[in-house]
Amino acid sequence: VQLVESGGGLVQPGGSLRLSCVGAGFAFSRYGMSWHRQAPGKERELVASISGAGTSTTYADSVRGRFTISRNNGGNAVYLQMNSLKPEDTALYYCKAISDTTHYWGQGTQVTVSS
């Protein structure tokens, strides 16, 4: 099983980034997918989640209206479009696949928002 994130980087405040996470080795469409982040010295937090069929999404209050989660089951991929980025969005971003019985984590991609 693999989850590989990409798309992180350094961006100025107000800028945008699109994170991608590609899964392999499991029935991707049967798993809910989510993005989490962890800033230095802080606990990992849920940013956004999407159901297996992509029909239901949830967002943390801190990102609602700025971030959009989506998925492409044909490509085994989930995305996080991040707009109007703020310095407080700086963190290591992880994707997670979850079913009723198990879950998998990716290795993370760093997002740094700074001028």
Side-chain angles (χ1 to χ4, degrees), residues 42-102:
K42 295 187 177 181
E43 292 188 355
R44 192 173 297 189
E45 64 174 348
L46 174 65
V47 175
S49 66
I50 188 167
S51 61
T55 54
S56 177
T57 58
T58 64
Y59 295 94
D61 288 343
S62 58
V63 307
R64 188 175 291 111
R66 299 188 297 122
F67 291 10
T68 302
I69 189 171
S70 61
R71 66 188 296 163
N72 172 12
N73 286 341
N76 284 6
V78 62
Y79 307 101
L80 187 68
Q81 177 66 43
M82 306 186 295
N83 299 328
S84 302
L85 282 161
K86 305 175 181 180
E88 51 264 43
D89 295 317
T90 295
L92 191 59
Y93 283 71
Y94 300 88
C95 71
K96 180 181 181 181
I98 187 166
S99 72
D100 290 342
T101 57
T102 191

